[in-house]
Amino acid sequence: MEGDQERPYSVLTRNEIREKMKKQIDDISGVFYVSQNDATVLFMYLRWDTLRVSERLGEDKDKLLSESGLSSVVNDLSDSSWVICKKTSDADLVNDADDHVNDADGLISTPCCSHKFCTTCWREYLDSLEKNQTVISCPNQNCRAAVGPDTIEKLTAEDKDFYESYILRSYIEENKGLMIKKCPAPDCNYVIEFHQANDVEEHGLNVVCLCGHTFCWRCSFESHRPVTCNNVSDWLSTEVEVSVVDRWEERKIAMDGAQDDLQDFEDYIIKKPDSLKEQDVRIVREGFMLLIQCRQVLKWSCVYEYFHTEHETSKKEYLQYLQDIATTTLQSYLKTLLEETETAFYADALVLCKFRYTLTTATSNVGNFFYHFVKTLEGGIVDVKVKSYDNVAGPYWLCDRCTYGNSWLDMTCKMCCEETTSKLSGLSNVSKRSPDSIRIPQLKMLRRE
């Protein structure tokens, strides 16, 4: 939607995140002459705060290394307890310590201690780790020696993959220096990074991932404009009238249909990648993603109506009028999107120019409409003046929308209600045909084989 086009955030792949993490590690390693293994452990220990890591290394490097488990632990090698393996009983350790020592090449310890474990024990230990541990220590519960990449490098490929994912999750979830968050959609591997803190407040309610999922940065729930995070929480925990839930479900079905249309298009492009140029694929994809966002807005506008217009009849009527106009607008836009996309397949240059202009213009217009629709609701629908006339005496009452003076015998406003009712009735014939009134048979050109 308009207002979101120059986005103040970036959608990054896992590889791009790894590169950012690697650069952060390399920078500290080069400036303070610590190994990449130690730099990785320090960043996890101090939650990826570059400034704090730099300050602590500058103040007392040895103390920080000791605190984080990177100082060597002296072991008495004459004591068999330094060879520890869960697959071997304590008695075996005492009786067969020499055998373990002689076969020490098959056992692995950290660089800072001599507690040795077999690969099976390491696997079981790594599996038992809590997700939010800032430092992984030696499996020996009495040892604080840190486990870093140098140790993991000696283990199996499965352990390496596990550790890489563990570090990456730590970088994303614990990073205090970056505004970064994983897309909450299931099975999505994209990560979103905001560029400035003040941008989060302004644009965080409607973050759009490349997977098509839109979500709220603050609560990680799906994008819920025009309502607040507290409204969402209340909605999910409150029992409401069946009619309200039914309208919500209808709008949800319509949004799911828009997501299906996007997936149909993506599947078709994967199957026939030469059917559209990359530029045209992007234009169509943006159109379908806009449809999803607009459907989502209409869905959550039901919640807005429930919480914000319960005792304000004129605002409620006006909101319903706007919702019907928005629904009709989407119906027209979806028809344009499907028709223009169908004509673009294998079209000549002239037809493609028309397709690009028509669809880009239509997308911009719909985006502008819904942008102002959302802003109107978030602003409290100030176009409708709501006042209290309980203490006003006189032969008439004033409509709280158009201020027309009505007789006390009139239950509705003579001036605006008839006009509004006629408009709404014309639109309601459209909106009652199917959920949200604009589902068209999905992408007929994609079904043609």
Side-chain angles (χ1 to χ4, degrees):
M1 288 181 285
E2 182 70 21
D4 292 324
Q5 297 197 7
E6 292 186 5
R7 294 169 183 162
Y9 56 84
S10 299
V11 182
L12 307 174
T13 65
R14 287 299 180 103
N15 287 335
E16 289 171 329
I17 288 294
R18 289 188 185 95
E19 289 300 316
K20 291 177 70 71
M21 182 178 70
K22 185 176 183 300
K23 184 179 184 305
Q24 196 169 341
I25 292 170
D26 290 344
D27 289 345
I28 286 294
S29 177
V31 171
F32 292 96
Y33 300 103
V34 295
S35 67
Q36 291 193 347
N37 176 88
D38 292 357
T40 302
V41 171
L42 291 177
F43 270 120
M44 292 184 66
Y45 178 62
L46 296 177
R47 300 182 184 276
W48 300 94
D49 189 332
T50 300
L51 180 59
R52 192 177 175 199
V53 171
S54 301
E55 290 176 347
R56 291 293 307 275
L57 283 171
E59 290 171 358
D60 194 332
K61 180 178 178 179
D62 292 338
K63 181 180 179 181
L64 178 59
L65 293 176
S66 177
E67 287 180 2
S68 56
L70 292 171
S71 295
S72 297
V73 178
V74 178
N75 297 108
D76 183 2
L77 300 185
S78 63
D79 184 353
S80 63
S81 64
W82 69 282
V83 180
I84 305 173
C85 185
K86 293 181 181 178
K87 297 182 71 66
T88 307
S89 67
D90 292 340
D92 290 337
L93 285 176
V94 174
N95 297 329
D96 301 331
D98 291 340
D99 293 337
H100 280 278
V101 173
N102 293 334
D103 193 31
D105 289 342
L107 300 173
I108 299 166
S109 67
T110 73
C112 297
C113 72
S114 300
H115 298 121
K116 297 183 180 291
F117 297 85
C118 68
T119 55
T120 301
C121 290
W122 276 105
R123 173 74 267 163
E124 293 175 356
Y125 173 66
L126 294 175
D127 283 340
S128 70
L129 293 175
E130 297 181 3
K131 291 183 179 181
N132 58 349
Q133 284 186 224
T134 55
V135 172
I136 302 177
S137 299
C138 169
N140 181 9
Q141 62 180 0
N142 297 318
C143 180
R144 294 182 60 254
V147 176
D150 288 352
T151 303
I152 301 298
E153 190 63 31
K154 303 173 185 177
L155 302 178
T156 65
E158 183 181 3
D159 295 324
K160 294 175 186 177
D161 291 340
F162 173 88
Y163 186 74
E164 182 178 351
S165 298
Y166 191 93
I167 294 179
L168 199 62
R169 184 172 61 247
S170 170
Y171 180 79
I172 294 171
E173 297 178 359
E174 304 292 336
N175 200 312
K176 302 303 179 183
L178 296 175
M179 289 166 290
I180 193 168
K181 185 175 292 188
K182 181 183 179 298
C183 173
D187 302 322
C188 178
N189 289 320
Y190 287 115
V191 176
I192 288 79
E193 179 188 8
F194 266 90
H195 305 149
Q196 297 182 19
N198 57 338
D199 291 332
V200 175
E201 289 300 315
E202 184 176 355
H203 300 277
L205 285 173
N206 192 55
V207 179
V208 183
C209 180
L210 290 180
C211 71
H213 183 66
T214 59
F215 69 97
C216 172
W217 182 272
R218 301 169 191 172
C219 65
S220 294
F221 199 67
E222 70 173 52
S223 180
H224 49 72
R225 296 182 73 181
V227 299
T228 65
C229 299
N230 288 336
N231 288 152
V232 174
S233 178
D234 292 340
W235 170 259
L236 297 176
S237 60
T238 304
E239 292 187 8
V240 297
E241 300 91 59
V242 174
S243 60
V244 179
V245 176
D246 286 345
R247 281 189 286 116
W248 157 273
E249 289 295 337
E250 287 179 355
R251 301 279 170 78
K252 183 179 183 302
I253 291 171
M255 192 187 83
D256 292 341
Q259 291 174 327
D260 291 340
D261 284 347
L262 173 60
Q263 188 59 54
D264 287 341
F265 176 73
E266 298 287 3
D267 293 343
Y268 183 82
I269 293 301
I270 291 174
K271 186 177 180 180
K272 297 185 177 181
D274 297 330
S275 56
L276 280 179
K277 294 182 179 180
E278 183 177 350
Q279 173 188 358
D280 301 322
V281 170
R282 178 179 58 81
I283 292 173
V284 176
R285 181 182 290 122
E286 288 177 352
F288 281 117
M289 290 182 69
L290 177 63
L291 274 171
I292 295 172
Q293 293 180 65
C294 294
R295 296 290 200 175
Q296 201 167 40
V297 167
L298 281 172
K299 183 179 75 169
W300 286 103
S301 70
C302 295
V303 179
Y304 181 96
E305 179 182 342
Y306 176 76
F307 283 110
H308 295 278
T309 66
E310 184 178 2
H311 304 294
E312 298 175 350
T313 303
S314 58
K315 284 194 174 185
K316 186 171 186 175
E317 291 176 350
Y318 185 54
L319 172 57
Q320 291 172 348
Y321 172 74
L322 291 177
Q323 288 172 329
D324 285 332
I325 292 294
T327 296
T328 305
T329 299
L330 281 185
Q331 179 181 6
S332 176
Y333 176 66
L334 177 56
K335 183 178 180 181
T336 299
L337 176 60
L338 294 175
E339 290 177 349
E340 290 297 325
T341 301
E342 186 173 8
T343 61
F345 284 95
Y346 310 106
D348 57 30
L350 184 61
V351 174
L352 282 177
C353 285
K354 176 182 176 296
F355 152 77
R356 291 164 187 164
Y357 174 79
T358 302
L359 191 51
T360 301
T361 302
T363 300
S364 178
N365 290 339
V366 172
N368 284 334
F369 177 89
F370 271 84
Y371 173 73
H372 291 291
F373 174 66
V374 168
K375 285 296 185 182
T376 297
L377 271 58
E378 290 177 337
I381 318 183
V382 295
D383 292 339
V384 180
K385 306 299 181 183
V386 178
K387 298 180 181 179
S388 173
Y389 299 101
D390 291 343
N391 297 323
V392 176
Y396 57 86
W397 60 272
L398 302 178
C399 174
D400 57 4
R401 181 165 74 171
C402 70
T403 70
Y404 179 80
N406 297 274
S407 166
W408 286 106
L409 298 177
D410 297 322
M411 300 302 294
T412 58
C413 176
K414 289 182 177 180
M415 179 61 68
C416 64
C417 286
E418 288 186 6
E419 179 184 359
T420 302
T421 302
S422 64
K423 290 181 179 178
L424 291 176
S425 62
L427 291 169
S428 63
N429 293 330
V430 176
S431 62
K432 291 179 181 178
R433 286 200 298 267
S434 61
D436 248 11
S437 76
I438 69 170
R439 292 294 300 126
I440 292 178
Q442 291 182 0
L443 300 181
K444 58 183 179 181
M445 70 283 188
L446 304 187
R447 310 300 189 200
R448 187 182 303 156
E449 294 295 341

